[in-house]
């Protein structure tokens, strides 16, 4: 049976249900979002003369939750207009609508009896072969389906999204014994290709994979904290990025999740496992039970493990002293190993430094980590069939940089097991057997391929053909040429890829040099070029430190040379003989955006945050960004006879002067950073593959670069219009004198300078006035202050 999801229904419009509905709308799937009918009228409804029979009242709960999606931050929607794909419904009047949908997702309260009741209610309205799934964080999926028909049960499974559904990559798919294998495979493919998720098949056990291990890890952290006399703040200072975990570490994470939610998850495991020792681990300590009773459940209550208070010196974050139940100043664990680990280059080195340290930080991290590693190994086979699924679940669901088994390899399997046994820990037999056979790691890498241990043998880690690994290609000797800032890599099928790998992927001379080499090499020997990488961010802009140093030394010829080089690079991308496709993702700021704009095509990850943000450091774009925005806006108007040039220039001015940054690739379309012909990859793991396909598509179509052309400018009259707007902002106290000066430079460039309105100018003219304006701003003391502040504080200075 070929399955397809054209329309869906979500039963339950709470935070999770609405989030799932929003993400379905993000990928273009219309959704009916259901909730119960209210039992009483609100005061506002009474004043309007409405009754409980009015449609607006009966759909109120679902509609209110639908509207809340527009106010949430970060937004659950790629583009707020996607809200129109969600229709509010109720569970009494609208059940007939279920006959239209291909997938029904149940997201009601985490109670088995309620879930069973809802499934019984929807079954008569479900069309044949429609898939039904439950979004539960740990209730038995099998138990939920009891009493349903065989046909229903064949199409029923668990789909556990992680909150928030738009941003967290993990989707646990939990089949029952009765679920058709075709349905399981379809949902796995649909989750990866359409929803952009990392899908892991989990077994129908309490809390599945990620919550089972994550919850255990949090509970043993609390236990070790109390045993060792550490404070909440001390624990968080060493259980975050220093060991490859998110910044929110342990207790800040609990505050965000909500202690009430966490308590429910822990209770679910305790009630459903049989081992008394395991049950005891999942029992909330008295102080946490007290916190729940007092309502100190975290961020949503205004206090939890941490509390923000206002003092004489501004806001301060206090931590809970769990012995006295009072809030005290936050502490950090300042042990030698913490400082030493920060100086190490990669995570494996950081982990080894802290785990084996004989200080308070080392003892705490080791005591937590050994228990989590042993628990993960002990649960293999029970919660998942292989170590890869467990590692992926923890990385995608909890934001760990390394999963438990990858972590174990990083700290050294033999060394750590020897220490565990010396300390009287019980190491699973399968690991002892492994070591006895001389298998000293869970993973091996050979010629760019990764193998994992499974039942005593190494098996290759399966990956989809749409996943390109640059690290693997490098191991296979596919690097054509490299320098300190960039590499040119053969990614197959006649396509080369230019990868940035400078610090923060900031653009400097190395990258520009490699770009020119890449375009020449591709012109001779390849079908086209992808510009992309697999770093944390695509590119945070040009090398600001270098620019500031030259400006402070008043080395204007050197800055002029740097800017010319940058402009020549972006021009070379535009006029490349072979197609260039840029693949941005995450932060794509300033010069990163300027590298994208002139490309034949952009293939952006859905989560791409694009913007020309130079005004934040007292500058304007200098690598052709202003010129490219003018050309893009001009080209977007089909009938040039009717074009309102001033309106287009106003748009460009507003976008650049306000340093607008898109909150998604969809929003980048609204800002004209991404055009209708450009593509968006929902699954970032497929981004480079899809960019490569775009290159091949252009090549097959007989790609020809654009021809240079002239465009009309608004000139001095248009510049006056722009400056009037800026002057109004200045008089209203909304911008500073220096902001006004920057606006003046930007207006000069975007208007085409002091020319008559309608004058045709070429690209070089626009690049020249852009470069002159950029250079003059570099000489401004207040701009240099802004640059310095950004480099030291990581945020813009308003001076």
């Amino acid at each position: 049976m070929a399955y397809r999801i054209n329309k869906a229904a979500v039963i339950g419009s709470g935070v999770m249900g609405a989030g799932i509905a929003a993400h379905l709308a993000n990928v273009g799937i219309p959704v009916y979002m259901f909730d119960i009918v209210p039992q009483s009228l609100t005061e506002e409804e009474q004043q309007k003369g409405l009754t409980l029979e009015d449609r607006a009242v009966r759909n109120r709960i679902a509609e209110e939750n639908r509207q809340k999606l527009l106010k949430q931050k970060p937004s659950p929607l790629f583009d707020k207009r996607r809200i129109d794909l969600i229709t509010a419904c109720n569970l009494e009047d609208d059940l007939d609508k279920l006959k239209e949908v291909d997938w029904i997702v149940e997201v009601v309260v985490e109670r088995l009896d309620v879930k069973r009741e809802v499934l019984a209610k929807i079954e008569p309205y479900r069309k044949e072969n429609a898939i039904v799934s439950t979004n539960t964080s740990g209730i038995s999926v099998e138990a939920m389906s009891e009493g349903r028909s065989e046909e229903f049960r064949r199409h029923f499974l668990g789909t556990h999204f992680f909150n928030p559904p738009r941003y967290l990559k993990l989707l646990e798919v939990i089949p029952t014994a009765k679920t058709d294998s075709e349905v399981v495979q379809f949902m796995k493919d649909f989750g990866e290709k359409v929803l952009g998720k990392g899908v892991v098949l989990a077994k129908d056990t309490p809390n599945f994979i990620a919550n089972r291990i994550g919850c255990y890890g949090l509970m043993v952290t609390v236990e070790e904290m109390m045993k060792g006399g550490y404070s909440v703040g001390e624990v968080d200072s060493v259980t975050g990025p220093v060991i490859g975990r998110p910044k929110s570490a342990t207790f800040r994470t609990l505050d965000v999740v909500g202690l009430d939610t966490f308590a429910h998850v822990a209770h679910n495991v305790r009630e459903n496992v049989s081992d008394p020792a395991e049950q005891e681990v999942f029992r909330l300590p008295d102080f946490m039970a007290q916190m729940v009773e007092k309502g100190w459940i975290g961020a949503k209550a205004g206090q939890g493990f941490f509390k923000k208070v206002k003092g004489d010196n501004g806001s301060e974050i206090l931590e809970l002293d769990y012995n006295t139940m009072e809030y005290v100043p936050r502490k950090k664990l300042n042990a030698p190993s913490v400082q030493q680990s920060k100086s190490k280059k990669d995570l494996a080195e950081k982990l080894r430094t802290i785990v084996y340290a004989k200080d308070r930080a080392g003892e705490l991290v080791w005591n937590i980590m050994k228990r989590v590693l042993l628990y993960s190994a002990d649960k293999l086979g029970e919660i998942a069939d292989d170590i890869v699924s467990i590692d992926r679940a923890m990385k995608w669901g909890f934001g760990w940089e390394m999963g438990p088994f990858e972590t174990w390899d990083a700290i050294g399997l033999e060394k750590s097991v020897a220490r565990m046994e010396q300390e009287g820990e019980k190491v699973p037999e399968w690991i002892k057997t492994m070591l006895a056979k001389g298998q000293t790691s869970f993973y091996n890498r050979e010629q760019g391929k990764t193998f994992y241990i499974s039942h005593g043998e190494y098996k290759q880690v399966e990956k989809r053909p749409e996943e390109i690994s640059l690290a693997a290609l490098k191991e296979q000797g596919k690097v054509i040429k490299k320098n300190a800032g960039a590499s040119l890599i053969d990614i197959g099928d006649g396509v080369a890829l230019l990868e940035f790998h400078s610090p923060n992927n900031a653009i400097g001379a190395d990258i520009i040099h490699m770009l020119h080499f890449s375009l020449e090499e591709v012109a001779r020997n390849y079908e086209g070029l992808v510009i992309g990488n697999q770093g944390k961010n695509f590119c945070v802009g040009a090398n600001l430190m270098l620019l500031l140093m030259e400006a402070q030394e008043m080395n204007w010829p050197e800055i002029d040379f740097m800017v010319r080089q940058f402009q020549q690079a972006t021009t070379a991308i535009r006029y490349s003989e072979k197609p260039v496709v840029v693949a941005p993702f995450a932060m794509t700021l300033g010069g990163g955006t300027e590298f994208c704009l002139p490309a034949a095509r952009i293939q952006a990850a859905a989560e791409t945050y694009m913007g020309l943000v130079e005004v934040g450091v007292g500058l304007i774009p200098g690598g052709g960004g202003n010129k490219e925005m003018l050309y893009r806006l001009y080209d977007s108007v089909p009938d040039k006879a009717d074009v309102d040039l001033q309106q287009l220039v106003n748009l460009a001015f507003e976008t650049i002067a306000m340093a607008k940054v898109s909150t998604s690739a969809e929003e980048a379309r609204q800002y004209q950073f991404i055009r209708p012909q450009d593509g968006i990859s929902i699954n970032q793991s497929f981004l480079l593959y899809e960019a490569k396909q775009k290159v091949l598509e252009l090549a097959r179509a007989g790609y020809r670069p654009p021809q240079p052309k002239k465009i009309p400018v608004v000139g001095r009259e248009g510049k006056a219009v722009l400056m009037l707007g800026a002057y109004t902002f200045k008089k209203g106290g909304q911008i500073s004198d220096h902001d006004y000066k920057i606006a003046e430079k930007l207006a000069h460039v975007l208007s085409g300078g002091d020319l008559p309105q309608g004058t045709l100018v070429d690209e070089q003219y626009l690049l020249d006035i852009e470069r002159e304006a950029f250079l003059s701003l570099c000489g401004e003391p207040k701009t240099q202050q802004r640059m310095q502040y950004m480099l030291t504080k990581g945020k813009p200075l308003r001076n």
Side-chain angles (χ1 to χ4, degrees), residues 537-577:
N537 294 299
F538 173 74
C539 176
V540 296
N543 188 330
L544 191 60
M545 174 71 82
L546 181 63
L547 183 62
L548 176 60
M549 283 165 56
E550 299 294 356
Q552 286 173 336
E553 290 177 16
M554 295 187 285
N555 193 348
W556 311 126
E558 181 59 30
I559 295 176
D560 182 69
F561 177 71
M562 285 161 58
V563 179
R564 281 179 193 272
Q565 274 198 314
F566 204 141
Q567 290 183 342
Q568 286 162 7
T570 55
T571 301
I573 291 170
R574 173 179 268 273
Y575 293 111
S576 167
E577 191 180 316

Side-chain angles (χ1 to χ4, degrees), residues 60-109:
R60 185 219 313 144
I61 295 172
E63 181 56 34
E64 281 181 351
N65 287 331
R66 175 178 171 271
Q67 290 301 324
K68 281 179 188 173
L69 292 169
L70 297 171
K71 297 170 188 167
Q72 283 178 33
K73 287 186 179 179
S75 175
L77 296 159
F78 287 160
D79 174 349
K80 288 186 176 174
R81 292 174 296 187
R82 293 290 170 113
I83 196 81
D84 295 336
L85 288 171
I86 303 172
T87 305
C89 302
N90 73 70
L91 281 164
E92 289 181 24
D93 308 324
D94 301 316
L95 287 169
D96 262 358
K97 287 184 165 64
L98 294 177
K99 294 174 181 176
E100 302 170 28
V101 308
D102 309 295
W103 181 24
I104 302 167
V105 195
E106 170 274 306
V107 202
V108 299
V109 66

Side-chain angles (χ1 to χ4, degrees), residues 327-354:
Y327 288 92
V328 297
R330 190 163 50 165
K331 301 183 198 73
K332 284 189 176 181
L333 191 49
N334 293 313
S337 62
V338 176
Q339 298 310 315
Q340 288 164 17
S341 70
K342 286 177 181 174
S343 67
K344 304 298 179 186
K345 285 185 179 176
D346 66 21
L347 180 56
E349 283 185 89
K350 288 177 192 287
L351 286 169
R352 287 192 294 272
T353 301
I354 201 163

